[in-house]
Amino acid sequence: MDSLSAIIDLVKRLRPYTNAGGKMDSLRRKLERLNSRESDVLMEVKYAESRLGNKRKREVENWLRNVRSVKDAISAIEPQVADGGVCTRVSLVNQINRLTTQVEELTDQGEFPRGLSHVEDTRALLTVELVGEAFGRNQDRVLSRLMEDDVLTVGIFGMGGVGKTTLVTHVHNHLLKASTWRKVCWVTVSQECDVPTLQQRISKCFNAALREEEDKIKRAAELSYLLKRESTVIILDDLWHAYDLQEVGIPLGVNGCKLILTTRSLDICRQMNCDELIELKPLPENEAWQLFVKNLRRGVVFAPEVESVAKSVAKECAGLPLGIVVVSGSMRGKEEDIHEWRSALNELKEARFEGKCMEDKVFRVLKFSFIRLNDQVVQQCFLHLALYPEDFVIWTADLLRNPVYLDFFSDLKTREAQYDRGHTIVNKLVNVCLLEKSGPPSYERLKMHDLVRDMAINMMGSQCMVKAGLGLCTIPAQEEWLKDLEKVSLIKNSLKEIPAVRRQSWDLPQLLELYMSSNVLTRIDGSFFGCMPALQVLDLSMTNIEMLPSSISNLVNLTHLLLRRCKCLRCVPSLANMRALRTLDFYDSGIEEVPEGLHELVNLRCLDFGESRLKKLPPGILPKLSNMQTLNLKGWCDSMTVQAQEIMSLTKLEKLSCKFGDVQSYDLYVKHLQAGGPKEWEIELIEGARDDNICIRDVDVSIYSRTVRLLGCHVGGDGPKSPPVHPKDVQHLEIRDAVDEPKSLTDIPSITNSKLKMCTLKRIHGMKYAVSQSSSSPLPSIESLKLISIMDLRALAEEEPCAVATAVPGVLYEGDKFWGLKELDIVGCNKMKRLLTHVLLPLLVDLEKLSISYCNQMEEVIAMTEVDMECQEEGDTRGSYTRSEANHAHLASALSLPKMKTLELWNLPALKRICGAAISCHSLQRISLRRCPKLECISLHEQLPRDGEPPSGCLQAIEIRRDEEEWWKSVVWNDSVTKSFLVPYIKYRW
């Protein structure tokens, strides 16, 4: 009996180790979820990194590395599951249990609530051309003095508007290209910037955040440690008072650390012990006139009597570049009208500015330009932009969807008309030089010169309190909240909470607009909002607020409530009394339930729950919001679906983003779109069983205004179930996890029967080729194709096994079928060993951007057969698969990508070559290479500029990770002489 009991006990103890197969199945299911998260993270990071120099955080890189490691470990034990005895089985189950725990932990860690990327600071700053001989001499002087060992600090001083920032931006960009310093750190110092704020701004240059140390000495030591790691030049622009460098933690002289500062005061330069002092003075009269004419209009010819007055106008600008640019901008289009010039001269002479400690001459000309806008709406739009912090970059796209800005055009009935008017006014302010514009149209940015902003704030007077970007930890003192205040801006500070206030002391009967976005705000006492009964605009976007006080329900005059990116927000009081609301913005917030009283907001024009955690929208609410113009219900949770009839009831809708949970409702709404409906829409169909606890986030942000996304749907033409119909004018189609596993693009009727501009395929099982030889359907002229995590994909296009046939007529070559492709993006296709062979390279004749990343088996981009390689080696110019005369011209054209501007090859561990033969890429401007350790040769013929700045059609940058510098040195270009010419174009990135 004892022996039997022992055996039973042993069996019980071994039972958990006898089901390795079942545990492995469970591990595979958990791994599927991790794979999905990995795919989403990769795509989101890739999108972020494509935007103006953003880069992934180190924790994200570590997480991706750990995911790859655990996936390799799982692959290694797969063959062992079906083999082995009990002892081996015990060890195996232990391994499976350990890997299961790791997979679960990695899945949880993959949420990254603080974001996946941050802005890299190694980009050149956008600047304007230096004007005048003195500027060129001063730039050379700064650069040469920095090279001297005994010069550690260069101080540049001069009055506002004289060009100090312009000079140091040129110096900054020059230093980036030089190899003397590994780090160039740019910091704009605001008027009230204290030591802790300055320390944090410097630390951000190193993608680091200092710990919240109360001990100043420890904080300084931590910053000093960062600066000592590599040779650094720190540029502090616009100092208003002196700093003790030891207190800040700037170790001048250590590892080549040097400092450049700009200020309006010579005394500050002296207090900072500058080794070199450079004073910027106004332009001499002849150079000032040259700048005036140049900014007015190139090639302008004045009549003699007009030129005399125009020169007097220019002279009134006192040689200050900022004043010259602004005034000449205001006179564009009026060059021949002497009456305009006389009037301008009189206005400039009469203009006065009652400011203290300000450069009166500058403000006088700036005020002149503001008055000559001669349009109250345009002037109000301009003054609104002064509410942002000093040197704040305003994205044009964000401004044009800001409901407060668009409210200036409330007389226009449609959102589209308001958008167009807002865009026109932005252009007008740029044209008269009151705003600076930079960047390509899709990423256009606006900025206001600090003196222009100062003028705008002073124009608003005591009715406006602007304390934006000052690092405030507490709200301004009670005595600063004047009774006649109408606007208050506390944007981008360090406010943590707003304590209780006494109604008797805090009486703000005229306060209409309150902006507190970009603070760490977690709590607001309800008494605060009780002091401002007339409030119309409340912006708490990008704060850590968890709960809005109940007193907000009494703000019956509120028209705009902005809670954008309040990720911690969970609770909102009843909105029933706030019937004046026209905008309710919960974009990317943490809210999970619809606020009470939403159905009462009959005047609502814009409702945004996009990217929020909202789980469900109760039926019956939308039809009551009959004035809706913009509606975004496309949140994280895929349980957040709508019914077509409710959306169709919104007859004034102009822009829509939503999800449908069944094909019948989706098809019904598509028919409605065909008959009219909103002009812009992004609709998604989600079919099949869903886990409501899993939120799906789209990181592939479409640039097109008419987008359809299909998730888990039947998309092929065969089978008992018909695919969903699509609007005829759809521009972007995204398909994820198709249930019928189409074999190629041509097996999807909605692609072949449409006029798509962009197509995205994600996690399509069974698809080995995007284009199949067996297909008889032609492809449309798609401009952008993205293939993401298609695990069975072998190549872009299929060729016959003998590799001698020409491309299939009507599918690949005829007309403009596949020739229109301008952008090709391939991510995470791990069975893909090549993109295509050279005989099909003409498919990409119009390609402008090629990006391939995270394809673990990719060995070469363009493959050539052994016969082709022999032909190349033997000098056989006929080189084709058959060496026939008929294919001679075809081979020659195949080795060319004539329109390609951008080539990105990221994280391709098996990549050996781009092509076995050289490819002509004479339009190539940018190459980005990351984590391609086996790549030894780059066979591209690019075009290099002969002299001066590179023209747009020539190579401008080759981006390499800084920690791969040694690898890059070993890479062979077409020949060693050519590579030596590439040195000026190498840009090292972290």
Side-chain angles (χ1 to χ4, degrees), residues 599-610:
H599 63 283
E600 300 282 356
L601 307 182
V602 294
N603 290 306
L604 208 58
R605 268 49 167 192
C606 176
L607 177 62
D608 196 338
F609 283 108

Side-chain angles (χ1 to χ4, degrees), residues 559-563 575 581-587 595 598 601 604 606-609:
T559 56
H560 303 296
L561 178 56
L562 309 179
L563 299 161
L575 305 175
L581 268 179
R582 296 200 297 270
T583 302
L584 187 56
D585 192 345
F586 288 105
Y587 180 87
L598 179 62
L601 307 182
L604 208 58
C606 176
L607 177 62
D608 196 338
F609 283 108

Side-chain angles (χ1 to χ4, degrees), residues 584-752:
L584 187 56
D585 192 345
F586 288 105
Y587 180 87
D588 198 15
S589 70
I591 194 164
E592 297 179 353
E593 296 181 0
V594 169
E596 182 183 340
L598 179 62
H599 63 283
E600 300 282 356
L601 307 182
V602 294
N603 290 306
L604 208 58
R605 268 49 167 192
C606 176
L607 177 62
D608 196 338
F609 283 108
E611 302 295 334
S612 71
R613 278 68 172 174
L614 192 67
K615 295 178 180 178
K616 186 178 181 181
L617 183 68
I621 292 180
L622 289 180
K624 296 180 180 179
L625 309 179
S626 57
N627 287 303
M628 191 69 65
Q629 294 177 328
T630 301
L631 179 62
N632 187 352
L633 299 175
K634 203 165 168 294
W636 277 56
C637 301
D638 63 354
S639 60
M640 178 61 189
T641 58
V642 297
Q643 291 299 312
Q645 294 88 343
E646 294 207 341
I647 301 293
M648 290 162 59
S649 69
L650 303 176
T651 57
K652 297 181 181 179
L653 204 58
E654 299 179 37
K655 186 174 182 178
L656 169 69
S657 296
C658 68
K659 300 179 183 182
F660 295 96
D662 60 86
V663 70
Q664 292 81 12
S665 188
Y666 167 86
D667 285 346
L668 179 61
Y669 191 72
V670 168
K671 291 179 181 178
H672 172 71
L673 283 178
Q674 302 296 79
K679 295 182 179 180
E680 297 182 41
W681 36 263
E682 182 181 352
I683 55 178
E684 182 171 307
L685 172 60
I686 306 174
E687 283 196 294
R690 301 188 300 276
D691 180 356
D692 287 341
N693 293 321
I694 298 178
C695 295
I696 297 173
R697 185 181 187 187
D698 291 308
V699 296
D700 185 11
V701 179
S702 177
I703 62 172
Y704 296 103
S705 59
R706 297 187 292 276
T707 297
V708 169
R709 288 189 166 91
L710 305 178
L711 174 60
C713 300
H714 179 91
V715 298
D718 300 327
K721 193 172 182 181
S722 298
V725 297
H726 300 312
K728 292 180 181 179
D729 54 350
V730 60
Q731 297 174 319
H732 176 200
L733 175 64
E734 178 179 338
I735 299 174
R736 292 181 287 172
D737 301 300
V739 296
D740 45 353
E741 300 186 359
K743 303 303 179 186
S744 71
L745 291 171
T746 50
D747 290 335
I748 305 175
S750 55
I751 293 180
T752 57

Side-chain angles (χ1 to χ4, degrees), residues 123-162:
R123 303 187 310 272
L125 297 174
L126 292 160
T127 189
V128 296
E129 182 181 351
L130 288 176
V131 177
E133 297 179 2
F135 274 98
R137 289 195 303 269
N138 285 328
Q139 177 182 258
D140 294 341
R141 182 177 170 188
V142 173
L143 293 171
S144 63
R145 295 292 275 154
L146 280 176
M147 299 302 296
E148 299 177 14
D149 294 338
D150 59 339
V151 176
L152 300 180
T153 309
V154 176
I156 302 170
F157 66 98
M159 65 183 297
V162 79

Side-chain angles (χ1 to χ4, degrees), residues 183-356:
K183 190 74 174 177
V184 183
C185 176
W186 174 283
V187 176
T188 300
V189 187
S190 62
Q191 191 167 347
E192 299 182 33
C193 179
D194 58 12
V195 169
T197 303
L198 179 59
Q199 290 172 327
Q200 288 291 2
R201 290 179 182 178
I202 296 174
S203 69
K204 284 183 179 179
C205 296
F206 296 84
N207 301 319
L210 300 180
R211 288 172 292 183
E212 294 295 330
E213 292 274 6
E214 293 184 4
D215 191 320
K216 294 181 180 180
I217 296 177
K218 290 183 179 179
R219 285 176 61 86
E222 190 174 353
L223 179 60
S224 180
Y225 172 77
L226 285 174
L227 294 172
K228 288 176 181 177
R229 292 191 304 180
E230 48 190 332
S231 55
T232 306
V233 173
I234 303 170
I235 299 175
L236 301 182
D237 185 40
D238 199 16
L239 264 68
W240 284 76
H241 60 83
Y243 293 87
D244 183 335
L245 296 183
Q246 186 172 352
E247 182 183 4
V248 175
I250 298 177
L252 282 184
V254 179
N255 199 8
C257 181
K258 297 197 175 189
L259 174 66
I260 302 173
L261 63 89
T262 72
T263 177
R264 300 180 189 180
S265 169
L266 173 60
D267 288 339
I268 292 176
C269 290
R270 288 171 174 166
Q271 292 170 32
M272 298 285 289
N273 293 319
C274 292
D275 301 308
E276 180 74 6
L277 295 175
I278 298 176
E279 180 182 7
L280 294 196
K281 298 180 180 180
L283 296 173
E285 191 170 327
N286 63 325
E287 291 184 358
W289 173 242
Q290 291 171 11
L291 174 60
F292 191 94
V293 173
K294 182 178 181 181
N295 193 64
L296 188 66
R297 182 164 57 89
R298 292 183 184 274
V300 63
V301 178
F302 292 105
E305 65 275 12
V306 174
E307 182 173 355
S308 174
V309 182
K311 282 187 175 181
S312 297
V313 170
K315 192 173 181 179
E316 285 293 319
C317 300
L320 298 173
L322 175 63
I324 293 169
V325 167
V326 171
V327 171
S328 59
S330 297
M331 297 302 296
R332 286 175 184 160
K334 305 165 186 175
E335 296 89 347
E336 299 177 2
D337 192 334
I338 191 169
H339 305 292
E340 288 281 357
W341 285 104
R342 286 174 180 165
S343 177
L345 182 58
N346 290 332
E347 289 173 29
L348 270 171
K349 288 181 176 180
E350 293 174 2
R352 293 292 179 268
F353 184 83
E354 302 301 332
K356 295 180 180 179

Side-chain angles (χ1 to χ4, degrees), residues 36 58 95 234 240 247 463 680 691 708 825 922 935:
S36 296
R58 194 165 296 174
Q95 290 183 61
I234 303 170
W240 284 76
E247 182 183 4
Q463 294 178 327
E680 297 182 41
D691 180 356
V708 169
D825 200 344
H922 292 308
L935 182 61

